[in-house]
Amino acid sequence: MFLDCGGKPECLEKKPTHVRGEHANSTHNRSQPGSEPGEPLPEMLQLPLVVTVQVDLVLVLISSLAFLTRLSCLSYPNAVVFDEVYYGQFVSLYMKRIFFIDDSGPPLGHIILALGAYLGGFDGNFVWNRIGAEYPMGMNVWSLRLLPALCGALCVPLGYLLALELKFSHVSALGAAVLLLLENSLIVQSRFLLLESVLIFFVLLALLSYLRFQNSTSSSWSRYGWLLLCGVSCAAAVGVKYMGLVSYLLLLGVASVDTWNVIGDRAASHLSVCVQCFCRFMCLLVVPALLYIFWFYIHLSVLNHSGPHDQLMSSAFQASLKGGLSRITKGQPLEVAFGSQVTLRSSASHPVPCWLHSHKANYPVRYENGRGSSHQQQVTCYPFKDVNNWWIIKDPNRQDLVVDTPPKPVHHGDVIQLVHGMTSRFLNSHDVAAPMSPHAQEVSGYIDFNVSMPAQNLWRVDITNREAKSEVWKTIVSDVRLVHVNTSAVLKLSGVSLPEWGFRQLEVVAEKAFKVHSSSLGWTVEEHRYGTSQEQKDREVELHSPTHIDVDRKISFWAKFVELQWKMLTLKQEESEHKYSSSPVEWITMKTNIAYWLHTSTNAQIHLIGNLVSWGVAHLSMLAYQLLAVIYLLRRRRGFKDISDGAWEQFVRLGCVCVGSWLVNFVPFLLMEKTIFLYHYLPALCYLHLLTPTLLEHVHTHLLSSPTHRRLLHVCVIGVLLYVFLCFWTFCPLTYGTPELSASQLQRLKWRDSWDILYRRQ
Amino acid sequence: MDKADCPSQNKTKDFSTLRNRKICASKAQQSSFSLVSKHKNVQPAEMLKDGTQLPSPPGHEPRNKTLLILVVVLSFSTRFYKLAEPPHVCWDETHFGKMGSYYINRTFFFDVHPPLGKMLIGFAGFMTGYDGTFPFIKPGDKYEEHNYLGMRGFCAALGSCLPIFAYLIVLELSQAQSAALITASLLIFDTGCITISQYILLDPILMFFIMAAVLSMIKFNQQRYRPFTAPWWMWLVLCGANLSGAVGVKFVGLFIIVLVGLNTISDLWVLLGDLNLSLVDLLKHFLARVAGLILLPLFLYVTIFAVHFVVLNKSGPGDGFFSSAFQSRLIGNNLHNVSMPESESRTPVLVRHGDIIRLEHKETTRNLHAHRQEAPLTKKHFQVTGYGINGTGDSNDLWRVEVCGGQRGDLVKVLRSKVRFLHKATGCVLYSSGKTLPKWGWEQVEVTCSPYLKESPSSQWNIEDHFHPELPNISLSVLKPNFLEILLESHIVMIKGNSGLKPKDNEMNSKPWHWPINYQGLRFSGVNETEYRVYLLGNPVVWWINLASLGLYVIMVAVASIAIKRGLPLNQSRLEHSRLLKRGGGLLLLGWLLHYLPFHAMGRVLYYHHYFPAMLFSSMLTGVTLDIVLKNSDLLLHSIYSDRLKVGGWLLLQLSILYSFYLFHPLSYGMTGPLAHEPGSAMAGLKWMDSWDF
């Protein structure tokens, strides 16, 4: 394995010679030596079968080198590397088809990673708990890492083709490909179970196919194939990471400018303009939107088992998953009736999902701050399943607590009483300040202390998501507000924890401010059965026993999609710090690195460190482009045309694609408050590597006139390329994790003081 | 937290109070007010600052003047009607009135907004005989004999200028009386604009400067064919002055700076393309704008702060927000003109960068201690506790002192050194997470030991109080910061204060999407049936017309652009209209976007009244749009009828605005009696949306 690795970079060493001897044009290679064209062929049947194939050998070479650098010894190290620990757990859940929520991005990225694992026969039985943990013998690490690595390798030829589509020469295209090829950070990021390379691949593919579409002059319908491909890859890019959205928006911007020019084409008929606009609209807006939803469809159809994140979802959602809640709720009666025994879950999953609860303990007569309470039984919200979560719905006009035959369902607007199953106290509220939120009313289980505090235990049922006017209260589906009849306050989860006397359960209050649309006011019936026992003793037994009958309850895919997407966008994770997190400004100078992996016993290690030379050159060329653009703009405005209009157009397009993409992929991070890492910068960096050679070509053709200057530029370029290669070669051990370096060698690799390189004490 | 900050009174031994460099809001001390005041007659003085007299549009026939006078009269009369009602503190008057008083009393305070608005309020109060003695404790407090009308009148006068400015702006942009009149009546009869102008608030002042800046910008644009003449310079300077005024009142003024900046850039771009102009001329144009729109506003803005710091020289409730060095310049602060030993020391050796120390709490004699337990709130950090007693302890009590930016051997100096404390055993750094502990921790701020060693203000501390018998004292006056440092620090504090205004879970908070649809108002005064209620809510008819016009505008521009791009035959007046829509309307739309969109990205708590500057732009856009819609009614009808339709539509529009004002005027001028959802109310049937709360 090590020999393999050693052999690979030697192939790369030939690269600079290639640049020098670049013949620029693709080699025409007639693979089938057919008959000469001049020869007369009188009869049709005598026509020979001719296949003319053009192969761009440079492209082939570049691609094979890319595959070599990205794919060789992929299964080394045979241990969890950096964020594999994060993505791996989701791959495992995928293999077991267990539902999860990951707020970091849409599901396509996980689907792709899981696909690789599936093809390699991974069964999901691996605990991803720490970086550096060894993979077991039977696990096919190679297949896990294959798809990201393939995407990473394909980025190199894509860069090549993109430069060609921007109408630059093959030399520039080769330069761009070489820079991408020799970028250590891209190699590292491609070789593991990570998503950046997949994102970069789709974004580049989208751009390439759009430019292909735009550049093909023919009005043939085949070019719409490229547009469709563009739409698909946009959807894929957004589906992998939300960051793909900015590239998509940029592409839409470019496309709308082009469309505007199409509209301005007065030679074309109104109809053809309409058709063209419609096609663009379909391919670039409708198709991506549909596909984006389709990713969720796959996600939701594959993950149909309940799992650790169930609790974050609504009861209806949970009930649609196998196991978990659906096991309990399966076969419950649908319509809540007078006499029903129910558990009420708060619709708010903030701070935690919980159920309306009461227990044999009263509010303290005086709180710590000296305020008084009613001293009645506590009513709280409890985040665990418990027998004390059961409530019985009682008709205020009748005494018994059983369901009639036939059951008398509760409708929207009905007035009910709620009886706590285990203690038989009535849910009550009154004008007493709540323990933690004194602006709201206290909610209690009513105890008559004979202190002229009458029971106020009537509640009106207000179904907020009703479709008909007098809809029946349904289990799981209906979102209900309980409005206190005497005070018109609404039962609400305040989200505050009670102190020790309330067992740190969550406070439940009744609040007047019913205008605020807040999910903390809503409650759903989760577990439900028709009560049959008249006596308290029997009822307790009944409450302790599980419910079961069999009916399937489904919610539509659309409802699930909306809920999941909303949860993913609003799920707030605790702000976390990380040792290797960095600020966007540090990325430009690569001030921080990230240690990805360290061998358990030796100094072999993998770091995310970019190619410092090409990194610097890339940023210089970005500055140079902007400077040049400003000078051109001002001078053109004053009537000096330094370059022809065609060249100017090419220059502008280059700026839109490369500098524009860099900006949209970089600036949002400046505004983010999240913990961000160096690898977030890689998509932006790719465009700069495209910009460097193309800008040099622009300078070469349009700005340098004397042959001496041009020759000087050639020498500089070759020098820089050599230096880039040397830098790549030097950092190879940290990129591939092999060979192991001694402490002094590592010390010498610490080119910047701020880099964190690890030494193992021998 | 007060406890933690207060220096102990015991001054015998060498000890120091550590103070975190982050802001910690100390509880505002109640400054005492003597409740003596003289009743004085109030004259609602018109205070048009900066020499901004109501400019009359040049080169128009006298009929203009009568219309303008009509607008002026209506505008002032609607704003000054019932100005004295209610005679108690309403809503944010409690802040801004109080701050006006601080200026009169020269007491230092802290606010998240720059000082100009409050200064003007204070000045208006001072000129009209208010003596700064009313405490403004909470909304609903009766003014009684205190003279508050001067301050309200000042705000109302500035608020009255808004419709007038809007009228003039639209007149300049569209050259049509009818458009200008639509805008003027939209604003004059908008209950929201009236309400927000009638109280002691920053908003009328802010909007005055914004509109004045837009007006002078447009007048300046109009002068483009006569560069470097006196009126050209006047409008340029006025625009710059108003920009500094807008930013001087609230940071929201930055948006108008962006608008003017973009306009100037496009202006310069046009000039650059004019090949008749020599480079010298271009340079002159450029430098004139730099001077008028950058240097002058900057100078004025700095001057405002200079005045602020010169006037407020007494210690007050705002001290705690600022650094120790800053506080040392306030009369009455315990750091004022005191002296203390300069170097942190432990007899006889001075403490230096890199030294290992142990910190003992003076009161309880416990050592500052950290260990590998997770901190109570920030789980990834280590817990910091007090350990040992009377000098005993363990190795986890040892800390290494480092001066930020210092080298080994540098002395640790009082106040001037920022120091970090690195825990010797675990390598973590003493850190203030900024999170508030629960009740058991008396809601003080959590202190942790962070394993992430990146330099951040949260891990920097300075020594605030320092007593040592054997060291020579230095006077803190050498530490007094210079003006630029003060300016910088006050801005940092303001920006942090602004971003610190996070919405609380329990509060109803207003979302930006609520605003254009007039979803929810703000209660200015009164809650229940017996009280005098004022409710800040825009006239729904006006606001919904604005909303519809925005949509209409976008559609019209799209249609017109496509028609022109496709080369459809259009007559001259249509081309002129579409040019007007794109130029004038585009500017106003940009103004609306700039004053509305940024709020979506803001993390701080937002209120309904933040929309009002955007609403002004929206109303002006409505004037331009609807006027052009009416003028193009011949697209639908034959020209004989279309003229009638034009006049009829215009009248209908004005009448509906007027009638809706008649319906909703109690929102501004006060309501008593039952609430709107009860049948006996004066507002019965007018609660068109459930979310309205009157």
Side-chain angles (χ1 to χ4, degrees):
Chain A
M1 192 194 287
F2 290 170
L3 275 176
D4 249 6
C5 288
K8 162 197 33 82
E10 263 161 39
C11 304
L12 298 175
E13 219 160 32
K14 290 170 196 148
K15 182 105 320 292
T17 59
H18 230 285
V19 176
R20 214 176 302 133
E22 173 54 35
H23 30 56
N25 287 320
S26 57
T27 320
H28 292 241
N29 192 358
R30 294 210 163 74
S31 57
Q32 289 273 338
S35 54
E36 291 301 304
E39 233 171 86
L41 292 164
E43 282 171 47
M44 288 293 283
L45 285 174
Q46 288 184 356
L47 270 174
L49 198 61
V50 177
V51 178
T52 313
V53 178
Q54 284 188 330
V55 177
D56 187 341
L57 281 185
V58 181
L59 183 62
V60 171
L61 184 69
I62 276 293
S63 312
S64 41
L65 284 177
F67 281 105
L68 190 65
T69 46
R70 267 68 175 178
L71 289 172
S72 60
C73 33
L74 204 53
S75 47
Y76 174 84
N78 190 27
V80 179
V81 175
F82 197 58
D83 265 359
E84 287 190 343
V85 74
Y86 180 74
Y87 292 111
Q89 53 175 336
F90 298 127
V91 170
S92 284
L93 289 173
Y94 245 101
M95 293 302 106
K96 294 178 173 171
R97 307 190 66 176
I98 290 174
F99 174 78
F100 64 88
I101 294 187
D102 172 30
D103 62 336
S104 69
L108 182 66
H110 299 307
I111 294 175
I112 290 175
L113 296 183
L115 181 69
Y118 176 74
L119 294 178
F122 176 51
D123 56 1
N125 287 326
F126 179 73
V127 191
W128 307 81
N129 54 1
R130 65 180 178 87
I131 296 171
E134 295 265 341
Y135 289 121
M137 280 305 287
M139 203 161 146
N140 193 346
V141 182
W142 186 80
S143 82
L144 271 180
R145 292 174 180 165
L146 178 65
L147 288 181
L150 272 181
C151 289
L154 286 174
C155 290
V156 177
L158 276 181
Y160 180 85
L161 293 173
L162 204 52
L164 289 184
E165 281 312 320
L166 286 167
K167 296 181 183 158
F168 284 90
S169 72
H170 286 264
V171 187
S172 301
L174 178 67
V178 168
L179 287 179
L180 288 173
L181 184 73
L182 298 182
E183 177 59 59
N184 302 56
S185 54
L186 286 177
I187 298 178
V188 173
Q189 199 68 17
S190 305
R191 288 169 55 86
F192 302 104
L193 194 63
L194 305 170
L195 285 178
E196 261 67 28
S197 61
V198 185
L199 172 69
I200 295 171
F201 168 73
F202 282 121
V203 170
L204 290 181
L205 184 63
L207 266 179
L208 175 72
S209 45
Y210 180 74
L211 290 177
R212 267 277 158 90
F213 163 77
Q214 192 61 26
N215 288 341
S216 55
T217 45
S218 67
S219 56
S220 70
W221 289 97
S222 64
R223 70 182 192 136
Y224 284 100
W226 286 110
L227 193 60
L228 197 62
L229 178 62
C230 172
V232 172
S233 22
C234 282
V238 180
V240 171
K241 286 203 160 219
Y242 291 126
M243 219 34 216
L245 197 63
V246 292
S247 303
Y248 176 50
L249 290 178
L250 182 84
L251 197 138
L252 280 186
V254 173
S256 43
V257 171
D258 289 335
T259 313
W260 188 239
N261 291 333
V262 168
I263 293 175
D265 177 13
R266 297 188 186 171
S269 71
H270 291 328
L271 180 69
S272 90
V273 167
C274 279
V275 169
Q276 288 200 49
C277 291
F278 178 74
C279 287
R280 285 158 198 255
F281 176 77
M282 288 306 285
C283 292
L284 292 180
L285 286 172
V286 177
V287 168
L290 289 178
L291 276 177
Y292 182 76
I293 296 167
F294 179 65
W295 310 142
F296 276 86
Y297 181 76
I298 302 179
H299 184 71
L300 286 171
S301 12
V302 172
L303 305 182
N304 57 4
H305 287 69
S306 77
H309 295 168
D310 277 20
Q311 300 282 295
L312 295 169
M313 310 307 286
S314 70
S315 310
F317 193 104
Q318 290 184 41
S320 72
L321 299 170
K322 285 184 194 160
L325 183 68
S326 69
R327 207 166 32 205
I328 304 169
T329 57
K330 225 181 222 176
Q332 290 179 165
L334 180 65
E335 296 184 344
V336 176
F338 289 106
S340 282
Q341 301 174 348
V342 295
T343 60
L344 287 162
R345 182 183 193 262
S346 169
S347 301
S349 42
H350 178 83
V352 283
C354 61
W355 292 266
L356 190 68
H357 178 98
S358 184
H359 41 234
K360 268 205 163 58
N362 295 356
Y363 288 113
V365 183
R366 297 239 164 259
Y367 299 122
E368 290 98 333
N369 57 9
R371 249 180 334 108
S373 82
S374 67
H375 195 51
Q376 295 179 358
Q377 181 168 307
Q378 296 173 15
V379 171
T380 64
C381 200
Y382 186 53
F384 302 99
K385 299 265 182 196
D386 189 82
V387 71
N388 272 325
N389 296 349
W390 283 99
W391 295 82
I392 301 165
I393 291 169
K394 179 178 168 296
D395 188 344
N397 304 320
R398 292 179 34 194
Q399 278 307 314
D400 51 346
L401 294 174
V402 291
V403 176
D404 304 332
T405 40
K408 191 180 152 211
V410 182
H411 291 93
H412 170 73
D414 283 355
V415 173
I416 59 165
Q417 288 170 322
L418 279 167
V419 185
H420 187 237
M422 300 303 288
T423 61
S424 299
R425 301 276 181 212
F426 284 77
L427 186 73
N428 186 63
S429 180
H430 39 220
D431 193 13
V432 174
M436 309 309 289
S437 328
H439 57 277
Q441 290 181 16
E442 182 190 87
V443 172
S444 62
Y446 183 70
I447 305 174
D448 194 358
F449 289 118
N450 240 340
V451 285
S452 67
M453 203 178 233
Q456 304 181 20
N457 51 21
L458 297 180
W459 299 85
R460 201 178 59 247
V461 176
D462 181 18
I463 302 175
T464 49
N465 58 351
R466 64 184 181 276
E467 275 151 18
K469 223 180 176 162
S470 61
E471 180 152 305
V472 177
W473 185 359
K474 295 192 188 108
T475 315
I476 291 181
V477 185
S478 297
D479 193 35
V480 170
R481 286 182 186 188
L482 293 169
V483 185
H484 192 231
V485 171
N486 299 59
T487 59
S488 73
V490 184
L491 192 71
K492 178 186 166 183
L493 169 68
S494 74
V496 187
S497 297
L498 294 171
E500 213 54 69
W501 55 256
F503 311 100
R504 306 227 168 268
Q505 296 174 5
L506 297 168
E507 183 199 38
V508 169
V509 299
E511 197 164 336
K512 276 263 176 56
F514 57 90
K515 279 153 234 117
V516 200
H517 289 280
S518 159
S519 59
S520 55
L521 304 174
W523 301 85
T524 37
V525 169
E526 197 165 275
E527 289 169 81
H528 174 217
R529 79 182 123 215
Y530 287 153
T532 50
S533 344
Q534 198 55 260
E535 291 303 310
Q536 175 67 19
K537 276 271 158 58
D538 302 339
R539 234 178 1 248
E540 285 181 15
V541 174
E542 196 177 7
L543 291 174
H544 277 290
S545 66
T547 49
H548 46 78
I549 324 169
D550 229 74
V551 188
D552 212 17
R553 205 163 285 118
K554 276 187 179 157
I555 59 168
S556 68
F557 161 70
W558 187 250
K560 281 167 87 174
F561 163 69
V562 170
E563 183 180 342
L564 180 60
Q565 178 69 83
W566 182 246
K567 279 274 151 60
M568 282 165 67
L569 291 176
T570 52
L571 197 65
K572 278 198 192 103
Q573 280 195 342
E574 206 191 327
E575 212 180 300
S576 57
E577 290 166 281
H578 195 280
K579 193 178 172 195
Y580 291 110
S581 69
S582 47
S583 74
V585 184
E586 293 172 1
W587 298 342
I588 291 177
T589 51
M590 206 164 41
K591 198 178 165 201
T592 42
N593 65 322
I594 308 179
Y596 268 26
W597 171 78
L598 176 66
H599 193 275
T600 42
S601 55
T602 70
N603 262 335
Q605 51 192 306
I606 293 178
H607 285 263
L608 183 74
I609 295 181
N611 188 322
L612 207 54
V613 179
S614 62
W615 201 285
V617 172
H619 289 96
L620 281 182
S621 63
M622 196 250 309
L623 277 182
Y625 180 90
Q626 285 171 348
L627 196 68
L628 208 55
V630 169
I631 293 172
Y632 276 155
L633 262 179
L634 291 180
R635 281 179 61 84
R636 283 178 84 79
R637 188 73 188 162
R638 294 299 291 171
F640 303 106
K641 293 207 169 174
D642 303 290
I643 50 174
S644 66
D645 281 344
W648 169 246
E649 213 168 276
Q650 186 196 30
F651 184 76
V652 168
R653 182 137 286 216
L654 174 69
C656 288
V657 171
C658 293
V659 181
S661 297
W662 179 80
L663 278 177
V664 296
N665 278 294
F666 177 67
V667 173
F669 288 110
L670 290 173
L671 312 172
M672 264 183 211
E673 287 172 359
K674 274 172 42 176
T675 312
I676 43 180
F677 297 90
L678 182 63
Y679 60 74
H680 284 120
Y681 187 54
L682 295 181
L685 183 74
C686 286
Y687 297 103
L688 293 189
H689 284 334
L690 273 178
L691 180 68
T692 310
T694 42
L695 188 66
L696 277 175
E697 184 188 330
H698 178 86
V699 171
H700 183 267
T701 24
H702 297 290
L703 297 184
L704 299 181
S705 47
S706 88
T708 339
H709 290 169
R710 290 188 170 185
R711 232 170 283 138
L712 200 66
L713 185 71
H714 294 172
V715 174
C716 286
V717 167
I718 291 166
V720 168
L721 274 179
L722 273 174
Y723 200 24
V724 167
F725 177 75
L726 271 177
C727 183
F728 162 77
W729 184 244
T730 316
F731 281 97
C732 259
L734 294 186
T735 304
Y736 291 97
T738 174
E740 180 203 343
L741 296 181
S742 69
S744 64
Q745 279 172 315
L746 285 172
Q747 186 65 46
R748 248 176 282 138
L749 281 183
K750 200 172 172 182
W751 286 14
R752 304 202 52 155
D753 286 340
S754 48
W755 284 356
D756 194 1
I757 289 178
L758 313 163
Y759 313 98
R760 200 169 282 288
R761 292 185 204 286
Q762 306 274 326
Chain B
M1 194 169 31
D2 280 346
K3 274 186 220 157
D5 267 358
C6 280
S8 162
Q9 297 304 308
N10 202 338
K11 301 187 180 180
T12 49
K13 268 170 108 184
D14 177 350
F15 73 96
S16 321
T17 324
L18 289 171
R19 185 160 186 283
N20 195 281
R21 292 196 66 80
K22 288 173 76 179
I23 315 163
C24 36
S26 68
K27 222 174 257 175
Q29 294 158 260
Q30 284 294 335
S31 25
S32 58
F33 289 91
S34 56
L35 289 167
V36 193
S37 83
K38 292 158 216 147
H39 189 81
K40 281 189 182 168
N41 279 333
V42 186
Q43 294 152 347
E46 293 177 22
M47 309 238 167
L48 297 182
K49 292 272 139 200
D50 304 306
T52 319
Q53 271 138 6
L54 308 177
S56 60
H60 284 279
E61 64 268 46
R63 196 173 140 265
N64 259 334
K65 283 257 169 13
T66 40
L67 281 179
L68 180 63
I69 289 167
L70 180 74
V71 169
V72 172
V73 169
L74 277 176
S75 180
F76 273 86
S77 51
T78 46
R79 268 76 183 159
F80 277 86
Y81 177 64
K82 282 199 174 179
L83 185 65
E85 298 283 322
H88 57 243
V89 178
C90 287
W91 196 53
D92 270 1
E93 284 189 338
T94 174
H95 299 306
F96 302 122
K98 194 191 294 167
M99 289 168 189
S101 312
Y102 285 142
Y103 278 103
I104 296 174
N105 298 321
R106 309 192 64 174
T107 321
F108 188 78
F109 67 93
F110 166 73
D111 186 33
V112 294
H113 304 301
L116 180 64
K118 281 112 32 181
M119 234 186 280
L120 290 177
I121 290 172
F123 183 69
F126 181 70
M127 293 308 281
T128 52
Y130 167 64
D131 53 4
T133 50
F134 186 71
F136 284 98
I137 291 171
K138 61 174 195 307
D141 289 355
K142 293 267 183 291
Y143 284 113
E144 289 168 357
E145 78 285 358
H146 292 276
N147 191 343
Y148 63 99
L149 263 183
M151 291 184 278
R152 276 197 189 167
F154 169 72
C155 292
L158 294 190
S160 306
C161 296
L162 302 178
I164 303 163
F165 288 167
Y167 174 85
L168 294 172
I169 290 169
V170 174
L171 197 61
E172 285 294 339
L173 285 179
S174 70
Q175 297 297 342
Q177 299 278 355
S178 46
L181 277 180
I182 293 175
T183 298
S185 58
L186 282 174
L187 291 180
I188 290 174
F189 300 118
D190 177 47
T191 47
C193 286
I194 294 177
T195 312
I196 206 159
S197 305
Q198 284 194 316
Y199 300 92
I200 308 172
L201 300 174
L202 295 185
D203 301 78
I205 309 176
L206 170 75
M207 289 194 283
F208 171 83
F209 283 118
I210 289 178
M211 290 298 271
V214 176
L215 181 63
S216 17
M217 175 181 88
I218 284 164
K219 290 276 186 187
F220 176 72
N221 283 352
Q222 224 69 8
Q223 300 286 337
R224 78 176 60 166
Y225 301 111
R226 294 188 290 159
F228 305 111
T229 56
W232 187 89
W233 278 110
M234 182 184 82
W235 291 118
L236 179 68
V237 167
L238 270 184
C239 184
N242 283 313
L243 287 184
S244 64
V247 183
V249 176
K250 274 189 179 186
F251 284 125
V252 176
L254 285 172
F255 302 145
I256 189 67
I257 290 193
V258 175
L259 181 70
V260 172
L262 290 176
N263 179 67
T264 309
I265 288 170
S266 85
D267 195 18
L268 283 172
W269 187 245
V270 171
L271 288 175
L272 189 69
D274 181 359
L275 296 182
N276 295 324
L277 282 177
S278 71
L279 279 179
V280 179
D281 287 338
L282 274 180
L283 193 69
K284 275 205 278 188
H285 271 286
F286 180 71
L287 288 181
R289 283 165 176 81
V290 168
L293 298 177
I294 297 177
L295 297 181
L296 174 75
L298 201 64
F299 170 74
L300 288 178
Y301 184 71
V302 172
T303 312
I304 292 166
F305 272 89
V307 173
H308 175 73
F309 290 121
V310 169
V311 171
L312 302 183
N313 58 1
K314 294 183 196 157
S315 165
D319 297 12
F321 290 93
F322 288 84
S323 70
S324 328
F326 185 97
Q327 293 180 31
S328 65
R329 47 177 289 289
L330 296 170
I331 301 168
N333 189 290
N334 58 356
L335 288 172
H336 183 68
N337 283 347
V338 293
S339 51
M340 53 177 78
E342 191 187 8
S343 290
E344 180 68 1
S345 114
R346 190 162 270 273
T347 37
V349 195
L350 297 173
V351 177
R352 291 168 191 277
H353 179 100
D355 285 355
I356 305 288
I357 59 161
R358 181 188 267 181
L359 283 167
E360 184 181 302
H361 188 233
K362 185 145 189 335
E363 287 294 299
T364 59
T365 70
R366 299 213 184 262
N367 299 322
L368 190 74
H369 175 101
H371 45 216
R372 288 186 186 274
Q373 288 279 325
E374 60 184 31
L377 299 177
T378 316
K379 303 287 185 203
K380 287 193 165 184
H381 292 183
F382 299 138
Q383 193 183 49
V384 176
T385 59
Y387 182 77
I389 199 156
N390 284 331
T392 59
D394 67 5
S395 62
N396 273 338
D397 298 346
L398 298 181
W399 300 82
R400 195 170 73 246
V401 193
E402 278 187 2
V403 181
C404 295
Q407 288 174 350
R408 206 173 170 78
D410 285 0
L411 285 176
V412 175
K413 293 186 173 170
V414 66
L415 286 174
R416 274 192 284 197
S417 302
K418 294 175 185 172
V419 289
R420 308 208 303 164
F421 295 94
L422 289 136
H423 192 235
K424 191 152 178 281
T426 57
C428 57
V429 60
L430 192 69
Y431 189 93
S432 166
S433 68
K435 297 175 191 162
T436 317
L437 292 171
K439 282 257 167 57
W440 55 257
W442 318 107
E443 297 187 348
Q444 295 175 5
V445 176
E446 184 196 41
V447 168
T448 63
C449 197
S450 163
Y452 308 109
L453 300 182
K454 282 235 172 80
E455 290 226 341
S456 81
S458 305
S459 60
Q460 295 173 350
W461 305 80
N462 72 11
I463 292 140
E464 194 168 76
D465 293 297
H466 178 216
F467 304 97
H468 196 281
E470 291 169 33
L471 282 171
N473 285 357
I474 57 148
S475 166
L476 279 186
S477 55
V478 299
L479 300 176
K480 268 188 189 164
N482 64 28
F483 176 66
L484 277 182
E485 284 166 2
I486 297 176
L487 193 67
L488 191 69
E489 182 178 344
S490 61
H491 275 82
I492 293 171
V493 173
M494 278 191 286
I495 289 165
K496 284 192 176 168
N498 249 322
S499 56
L501 294 173
K502 292 270 189 254
K504 287 176 196 144
D505 281 345
N506 281 330
E507 278 177 14
M508 274 188 251
N509 42 50
S510 182
K511 301 260 163 44
W513 64 263
H514 291 172
W515 304 339
I517 57 173
N518 211 14
Y519 180 76
Q520 217 172 26
L522 265 174
R523 239 185 240 136
F524 263 40
S525 155
V527 182
N528 52 36
E529 309 193 345
T530 53
E531 286 168 316
Y532 185 90
R533 299 189 307 274
V534 175
Y535 189 66
L536 174 73
L537 182 76
N539 181 340
V541 173
V542 169
W543 284 53
W544 293 340
I545 287 178
N546 280 343
L547 190 63
S549 305
L550 273 173
L552 201 60
Y553 174 80
V554 174
I555 296 171
M556 281 164 66
V557 167
V559 170
S561 306
I562 290 178
I564 292 171
K565 189 88 182 171
R566 289 297 299 161
L568 300 185
L570 296 173
N571 67 26
Q572 201 51 46
S573 74
R574 292 234 204 290
L575 285 177
E576 175 60 23
H577 284 156
S578 86
R579 195 193 63 82
L580 213 158
L581 262 188
K582 279 189 216 163
R583 286 276 175 76
L587 186 75
L588 296 174
L589 183 75
L590 184 67
W592 179 75
L593 288 174
L594 280 174
H595 284 85
Y596 177 53
L597 287 190
F599 287 104
H600 288 275
M602 279 186 200
R604 61 161 280 174
V605 56
L606 297 171
Y607 297 103
Y608 176 64
H609 71 275
H610 288 153
Y611 184 66
F612 276 85
M615 186 268 174
L616 297 178
F617 284 97
S618 174
S619 303
M620 291 191 278
L621 184 63
T622 306
V624 174
T625 314
L626 291 187
D627 188 52
I628 288 176
V629 169
L630 290 174
K631 280 183 179 158
N632 283 291
S633 52
D634 55 331
L635 277 171
L636 290 175
L637 286 171
H638 201 268
S639 64
I640 308 161
Y641 304 108
S642 72
D643 278 354
R644 284 185 213 157
L645 182 68
K646 193 160 73 184
V647 176
W650 192 85
L651 280 176
L652 185 71
L653 188 65
Q654 295 287 10
L655 284 178
S656 55
I657 294 171
L658 212 61
Y659 182 65
S660 63
F661 174 64
Y662 164 73
L663 286 180
F664 285 98
H665 76 273
L667 292 179
S668 311
Y669 298 133
M671 310 165 269
T672 45
L675 298 170
H677 59 82
E678 288 163 43
S681 164
M683 301 299 288
L686 289 177
K687 198 175 171 181
W688 296 348
M689 288 177 88
D690 282 342
S691 45
W692 296 348
D693 211 7
F694 53 80

